[in-house]
């Protein structure tokens, strides 16, 4: 379970291999599990040819991208035509290979009215949700209790000084939303996000006047026009207007869900560095 959680948090694909049935003698009992990533394995389903074939197939599934679960059946006999080695335990083993897909990752910088409403919506989805605020009172357990039944993995970052340092700690492919209480903080976060090459998208809440000032400031700080163009503002669905926090949150969440669908259908599987 720790391996599965590690892959999930790092946004790396993997495969969960489970011994689902055994007849006769086998190296491991039904229920034994292992986790396979592109570069590592955790635990074992018995070693030998059985495990090597399972690992090879699991890594092929990772390379192919999103796939359906598969079942592999093995006769542990010296006459079995397997390519890796010989196991002659005499039994029969069935393995279930279940893909562990990469889930979306979103970081909300600023848990004010809009940020909290957005967190409430996103928490109902299978993703990794990072909540960042420089104000401790915005991240108290009482205030975040509305997320107690979250489906998402919720990560709270309390950073009273330099919240932009969190940007570098986010997993690859994270969607970043900048919506703090302080325009200076927003500007620092935008600059840090532009200098980080591992993020998926960068969204900034605010008016056109705010964005005009930010463009000048980001350019003065050495960001190219191409880099600055990576920031999306305003955020959300353009056809859904309204200034109420809940309306803005629904609009932004809907746009993110559109991007998640596009990622699942077009993004190649990520590899471990």
């Amino acid at each position: 379970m720790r391996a599965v959680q590690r892959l999930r948090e790092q946004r790396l694909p993997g495969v969960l291999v489970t011994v689902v049935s055994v007849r006769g003698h086998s190296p491991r009992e039904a229920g034994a599990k292992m986790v396979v990533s592109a570069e590592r394995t955790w635990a074992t389903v018995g070693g030998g040819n059985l495990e090597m074939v399972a690992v090879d197939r699991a890594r092929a599934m990772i390379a192919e991208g999103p796939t359906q679960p598969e079942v592999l059946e093995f006769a542990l006999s010296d006459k079995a035509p397997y390519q890796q080695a010989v196991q002659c335990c005499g039994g029969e083993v069935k393995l279930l290979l279940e893909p562990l897909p990469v889930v979306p990752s979103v970081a909300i910088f600023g848990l004010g009215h809009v940020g909290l409403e957005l967190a409430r919506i996103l928490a109902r989805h299978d993703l990794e949700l990072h909540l960042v605020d420089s104000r401790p009172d915005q991240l108290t357990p009482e205030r975040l209790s509305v997320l107690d039944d979250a489906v998402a993995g919720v990560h709270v970052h309390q950073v009273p000084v330099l919240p932009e340092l969190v940007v570098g700690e986010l997993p690859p492919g994270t969607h970043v939303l900048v919506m703090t209480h302080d325009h200076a903080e927003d500007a620092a976060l935008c600059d840090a996000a532009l200098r980080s090459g591992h993020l998926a998208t960068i969204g900034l809440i605010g008016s056109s006047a705010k964005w005009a000032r930010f463009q000048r400031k980001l350019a003065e700080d050495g960001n190219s026009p191409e880099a600055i163009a990576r920031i999306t503002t305003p955020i959300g669905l353009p056809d859904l207007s309204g200034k109420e926090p809940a309306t803005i949150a629904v609009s932004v969440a809907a746009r993110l869900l559109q991007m998640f669908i596009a990622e699942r259908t077009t993004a190649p599987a990520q590899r471990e560095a």
Side-chain angles (χ1 to χ4, degrees):
M1 294 305 295
R2 286 194 296 270
V4 171
Q5 187 62 27
R6 174 181 174 178
L7 291 176
R8 177 187 172 97
E9 291 177 353
Q10 295 180 351
R11 304 196 71 245
L12 294 170
V15 174
L16 176 64
V17 183
T18 305
V19 179
V20 292
S21 67
V22 172
R23 294 182 61 186
H25 296 286
S26 74
R28 294 296 304 273
E29 68 285 350
K33 300 179 185 295
M34 72 179 299
V35 174
V36 181
S37 76
E39 300 293 338
R40 290 191 57 184
T41 63
W42 292 265
T44 177
V45 290
N49 181 77
L50 168 79
E51 187 164 298
M52 287 188 286
V53 172
V55 169
D56 285 350
R57 180 56 200 148
R59 288 181 173 153
M61 294 169 70
I62 292 171
E64 293 164 5
T67 58
Q68 297 298 313
E70 296 184 8
V71 174
L72 300 180
E73 298 186 33
F74 296 85
L76 302 181
S77 164
D78 58 1
K79 298 181 175 59
Y82 296 132
Q83 69 272 30
Q84 303 266 15
V86 173
Q87 282 176 284
C88 50
C89 303
E92 297 178 358
V93 177
K94 185 179 294 185
L95 300 179
L96 174 65
L97 278 64
E98 299 176 89
L100 302 171
V102 174
V103 299
S105 176
V106 179
I108 303 174
F109 286 84
L111 266 290
H113 299 299
V114 176
L116 184 61
E117 290 289 348
L118 179 58
R120 293 176 66 181
I121 298 171
L122 293 178
R124 304 306 306 153
H125 298 270
D126 185 22
L127 51 84
E128 293 295 296
L129 182 59
H130 297 264
L131 308 178
V132 191
D133 204 297
S134 60
R135 301 164 294 173
D137 61 323
Q138 299 299 297
L139 298 176
T140 62
E142 294 76 18
R143 192 164 188 269
L144 297 184
S145 64
V146 294
L147 309 179
D148 285 349
D149 61 348
V151 174
V154 179
H155 309 272
V156 178
H157 303 263
Q158 295 185 348
V159 280
V161 180
L162 300 177
E164 59 268 26
L165 295 179
V166 176
V167 172
E169 301 172 356
L170 296 172
T174 296
H175 297 269
V176 167
L177 296 164
V178 179
M179 49 178 65
T180 80
H181 66 295
D182 184 347
H183 284 196
E185 192 171 302
D186 282 354
L189 287 165
C190 286
D191 183 68
L194 291 179
R195 297 179 190 278
S196 300
H198 67 293
L199 303 177
T201 61
I202 307 166
L204 171 67
I205 198 170
S207 65
S208 57
K210 174 182 175 181
W211 178 229
R213 291 194 298 272
F214 272 41
Q215 286 176 295
R216 291 193 297 270
K217 179 67 167 61
L218 291 169
E220 291 169 359
D221 290 341
N223 294 285
S224 68
E226 293 77 17
I228 296 172
R230 292 182 55 211
I231 296 177
T232 298
T233 186
I235 51 178
L237 298 177
D239 296 334
L240 182 55
S241 60
K243 295 185 177 182
E244 299 83 1
T247 301
I248 298 172
V250 167
S251 177
V252 175
R255 179 65 187 119
L256 284 170
L257 292 174
Q258 289 178 339
M259 290 190 284
F260 298 162
I261 293 171
E263 286 177 350
R264 287 199 300 268
T265 57
T266 62
Q270 295 185 11
R271 294 281 200 272
E272 288 189 64

